[in-house]
């Protein structure tokens, strides 16, 4: 962490979420000669910086970290669904005669949304996959390494195998092995004493980044312009949010990894406005349901974790019903401790006996689904105000109907539903916004960047995050977006000429 801003760096990274952290990690491993600086608009809310808030043992400290992540103003008090640690778009989230995205939300803190996510890391399948990237599986494997993904962290949970067996009777027939019901890959580790540590950007940074003397992380630094001359990045302009001073940092490469809303916002504010910027915005409509498992024996094993809280997650684990083109939705089956939404409030008679189901639906892509920016009005950070244009198509409604039927069949196989019908959450509740700086094989006005995330027409500028994903997906996007960040970082490592020595080395 640093308060002094450098004058010159080789690579400047805007945003400290998992994809920005992936750039820092890969560059620290492959090009330790490069000077890399990261700038985050929010504060550091954990120690180490970028850790997942669920790993904070003290509940009051955890709540404070979440509150400090909630942006420049108080969350809207208008009844819209909001997850702790995030803040809602104050206005502009819905236009006349459109569905909008009422629960569209962001986080501002070191680690970004990686400090608050559910850590689910499924691989994309069928049409979710990006076909013009031939080494996608290698990149996904590297993302697994960086995020610390495990498929067996909760494999000893007493109800996990039974839950998957029951789900398999409904979904496995006719599916290839890799698309059958299976444990959900999770970015999590479980210690010998049962301590559960959820991965945040701190895990992605790793020791190699933290020990890199040429890497610096600057919190509470609002980057408001990417500087460009003659079609080439020269650096960025930022405001120190602790004292309001303005600074410029020269950089040979700039990576904007803010999020799927603020990355296009920064490009637009910088006068970088490709035709596809902000377009093809897509969210994953989410349906939830809850059941009580039938015919399972009570167990006293692993009911309490070292922090004294009920560890429901170790009772039924987290299972995955993968996306297929035939069934264009993706299912997460988890106990309530791992769910971002309180599915079954009230008494839970036996730990692990109440299971939450969440089905995520792929969206039909449209250039008209977009986020635009106002030339005169500003948001709480003084950046161009956002306006979301978003409409569910007939095909989207048809997928939602099929997903409701699917989740009801899953619930019936598992046990007794707690409510007669599943609940469809407000748009935006998934937090899986994608497409706004989408990647493509060619510059054809439907994409913003190339397969290694270089923005078309601006040398030295790259984008990162879920907004880069060009396909319609139902699976959680973080693993894919980190994989794409790996490709971009490797390309920088291969192509950027050797760095000049740091000033202190020259003086010696």
């Amino acid at each position: 962490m640093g308060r002094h801003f450098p004058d010159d760096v080789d690579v400047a990274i805007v945003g400290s979420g998992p994809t920005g952290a992936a750039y820092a990690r890969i560059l620290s491993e492959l090009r330790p000669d490069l000077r890399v600086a990261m700038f985050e608009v929010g504060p550091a809310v954990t120690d180490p910086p970028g850790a997942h808030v669920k790993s904070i043992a003290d509940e009051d400290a955890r709540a404070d970290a979440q509150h400090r992540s909630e942006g420049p103003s108080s969350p809207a008090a208008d009844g819209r669904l909001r997850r702790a640690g995030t803040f809602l778009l104050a206005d502009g989230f819905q236009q006349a005669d459109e569905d909008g995205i009422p629960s569209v939300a962001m986080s501002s803190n070191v680690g970004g949304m990686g400090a608050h996510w559910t850590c689910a890391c499924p691989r994309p399948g069928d049409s979710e996959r990006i076909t013009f990237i031939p080494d996608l599986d290698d990149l996904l494997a590297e993302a697994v390494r960086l995020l610390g993904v495990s498929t067996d962290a909760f494999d000893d949970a007493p109800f996990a195998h039974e839950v998957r067996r029951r789900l398999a009777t409904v979904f496995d027939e006719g599916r290839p092995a890799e698309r059958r019901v299976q444990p959900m890959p999770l970015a999590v580790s479980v210690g010998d004493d049962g301590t559960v540590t959820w991965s945040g950007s701190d895990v992605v940074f790793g020791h190699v980044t933290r020990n890199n003397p040429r890497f610096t992380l600057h919190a509470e630094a609002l980057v408001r312009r990417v500087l460009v001359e003659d079609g080439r990045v020269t650096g960025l302009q930022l405001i120190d949010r602790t004292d309001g001073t303005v600074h410029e940092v020269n950089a040979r490469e700039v990576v904007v990894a803010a999020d799927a809303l603020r990355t296009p916002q920064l490009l637009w504010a910088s006068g970088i406005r490709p035709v596809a910027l902000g377009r093809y915005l897509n969210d994953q409509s989410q349906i939830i349901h809850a059941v009580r498992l039938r015919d399972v024996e009570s167990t006293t094993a692993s009911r309490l974790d070292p922090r004294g809280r009920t560890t429901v997650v170790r009772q039924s684990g987290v299972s995955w019903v993968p996306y297929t083109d035939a069934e264009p939705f993706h299912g997460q089956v988890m106990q309530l401790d791992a769910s971002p939404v309180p599915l079954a409030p009230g008494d839970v008679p036996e730990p692990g006996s109440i299971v939450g189901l969440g089905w995520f639906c792929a969206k039909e892509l449209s250039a008209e689904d977009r986020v635009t920016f106002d030339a005169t009005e500003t948001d709480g950070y003084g950046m161009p105000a956002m306006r979301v244009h978003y409409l569910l198509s007939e095909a989207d409604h048809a997928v939602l109907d099929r997903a409701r039927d699917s989740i009801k069949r899953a619930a019936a196989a598992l046990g007794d539903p707690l409510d007669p019908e599943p609940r469809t959450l407000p748009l935006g509740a998934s937090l899986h916004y994608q497409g706004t700086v989408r990647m493509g094989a060619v510059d054809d006005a439907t994409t913003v960047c190339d397969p290694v995330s270089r923005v078309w027409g601006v040398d030295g500028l790259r984008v990162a995050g879920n907004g880069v994903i060009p396909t319609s997906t139902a699976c959680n996007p973080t693993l894919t977006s980190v994989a794409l960040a790996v490709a971009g970082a490797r390309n920088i490592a291969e192509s950027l000429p050797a760095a000049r020595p740091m000033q202190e080395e020259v003086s010696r």
Side-chain angles (χ1 to χ4, degrees):
M1 298 289 294
R3 193 71 257 151
H4 171 72
F5 299 112
D7 294 324
D8 295 274
V9 297
D10 296 300
V11 182
I13 303 171
V14 183
S16 62
T19 58
Y23 269 90
R25 170 73 170 272
I26 295 298
L27 292 174
S28 293
E29 290 178 341
L30 299 183
R31 289 293 303 274
D33 62 304
L34 297 178
R35 295 159 298 175
V36 179
M38 176 175 285
F39 303 93
E40 167 59 51
V41 68
V45 300
T46 61
D47 184 16
H52 200 300
V53 299
K54 282 179 67 175
S55 297
I56 300 175
D58 182 80
E59 293 189 7
D60 290 337
R62 188 182 323 115
D64 178 67
Q66 291 170 329
H67 177 69
R68 294 173 62 208
S69 303
E70 292 171 355
S73 59
S74 300
D78 54 7
R80 289 182 287 153
L81 181 65
R82 181 185 66 85
R83 189 185 306 183
T86 72
F87 61 98
L88 298 172
L89 194 61
D91 52 33
F93 53 84
Q94 185 176 29
Q95 309 309 313
D97 301 319
E98 295 181 359
D99 296 301
I101 308 183
S103 289
V104 66
M106 295 160 277
S107 292
S108 289
N109 53 275
V110 173
M113 201 69 78
H116 311 284
W117 65 314
T118 57
C119 294
C121 289
R123 291 194 178 212
D126 289 1
S127 61
E128 292 181 310
R129 291 176 60 86
I130 306 168
T131 57
F132 56 79
I133 298 183
D135 57 345
L136 180 62
D137 288 319
D138 168 67
L139 296 171
L140 290 167
E142 184 71 341
V144 165
R145 177 180 77 92
L146 298 186
L147 288 162
V149 177
S150 169
T151 57
D152 58 5
F154 304 118
D155 202 43
D156 61 346
F159 298 151
H161 296 287
E162 179 61 19
V163 166
R164 289 193 281 274
R165 185 193 68 78
R166 296 182 187 187
L167 291 170
T169 64
V170 177
F171 296 106
D172 278 2
E173 184 176 355
R175 290 182 175 225
E178 70 275 8
R179 295 281 105 185
R180 293 174 184 165
V181 174
Q182 57 193 276
M184 174 64 78
L186 294 169
V188 65
S189 63
V190 181
D192 293 339
D193 62 353
T195 301
V196 178
T197 302
W198 300 90
S199 295
S201 289
D202 65 321
V203 171
V204 182
F205 285 132
H207 294 300
V208 67
T209 308
R210 285 188 288 272
N211 294 333
N212 181 358
R214 292 177 173 82
F215 171 74
T216 54
L217 169 60
H218 305 273
E220 298 186 84
L222 168 64
V223 176
R224 65 178 183 181
R225 297 285 187 278
V226 175
L227 305 177
V228 178
E229 291 182 9
D230 299 323
R232 169 85 202 173
V233 156
T234 61
L236 47 80
Q237 182 188 79
L238 63 87
I239 297 175
D240 184 343
R241 298 196 69 239
T242 66
D243 61 14
T245 56
V246 178
H247 303 264
E248 288 192 4
V249 177
N250 298 321
R252 297 198 287 166
E253 292 264 349
V254 171
V255 180
V256 182
D259 56 38
L261 299 173
R262 287 179 286 185
T263 291
Q265 180 191 49
L266 177 57
L267 266 60
W268 194 91
S270 305
I272 303 165
R273 302 175 184 179
V275 173
L277 186 72
R279 293 187 176 271
Y280 300 96
L281 171 64
N282 65 100
D283 177 35
Q284 296 170 354
S285 296
Q286 186 177 355
I287 301 168
I288 60 174
H289 209 11
V291 301
R292 176 173 291 136
L293 294 176
R294 72 169 71 91
D295 301 327
V296 292
E297 294 184 4
S298 175
T299 175
T300 58
S302 304
R303 288 191 179 180
L304 295 177
D305 72 7
R307 295 166 296 197
R309 295 186 296 125
T310 301
T311 313
V312 183
V313 69
R314 295 186 63 79
Q315 293 296 318
S316 58
V318 184
S319 299
W320 174 31
V321 182
Y323 168 99
T324 66
D325 287 344
E327 296 181 278
F329 25 81
H330 140 100
Q332 293 180 205
V333 181
M334 65 192 87
Q335 63 302 314
L336 301 186
D337 183 64
S339 174
V341 181
L343 304 179
D347 182 52
V348 178
E350 289 291 340
S353 66
I354 304 297
V355 179
L357 297 87
W359 258 230
F360 298 78
C361 302
K363 173 82 169 70
E364 183 177 41
L365 298 184
S366 169
E368 296 308 305
D369 294 323
R370 65 199 188 276
V371 56
T372 62
F373 306 99
D374 197 288
T376 57
E377 293 188 32
T378 58
D379 64 12
Y381 288 111
M383 297 294 286
M386 302 179 192
R387 301 286 182 264
V388 173
H389 298 264
Y390 200 75
L391 196 64
L392 295 183
S393 67
E394 290 185 9
D396 296 329
H397 284 291
V399 169
L400 272 164
D401 288 341
R402 293 176 60 197
R404 291 186 192 97
D405 177 70
S406 176
I407 201 171
K408 288 166 72 173
R409 289 188 289 121
L414 290 172
D416 303 313
L418 300 186
D419 295 299
E421 294 293 327
R423 176 186 171 200
T424 302
L425 295 182
L427 293 174
S430 76
L431 304 177
H432 295 168
Y433 324 126
Q434 301 166 69
T436 51
V437 285
R438 68 199 304 252
M439 175 181 289
V442 295
D443 181 7
D444 60 359
T446 69
T447 62
V448 172
C449 66
D450 73 4
V452 288
S453 300
R454 295 175 296 199
V455 173
W456 303 115
V458 185
D459 290 343
L461 176 61
R462 297 175 197 253
V463 285
N466 295 342
V468 173
I469 298 173
T471 55
S472 177
T473 72
C475 74
N476 310 67
T478 302
L479 185 75
T480 300
S481 60
V482 169
L484 300 179
V486 168
R490 286 177 174 175
N491 183 258
I492 291 176
E494 293 167 359
S495 62
L496 198 61
R500 298 186 304 273
M502 292 192 297
Q503 185 60 43
E504 56 267 30
E505 292 177 344
V506 173
S507 63
R508 286 201 298 268

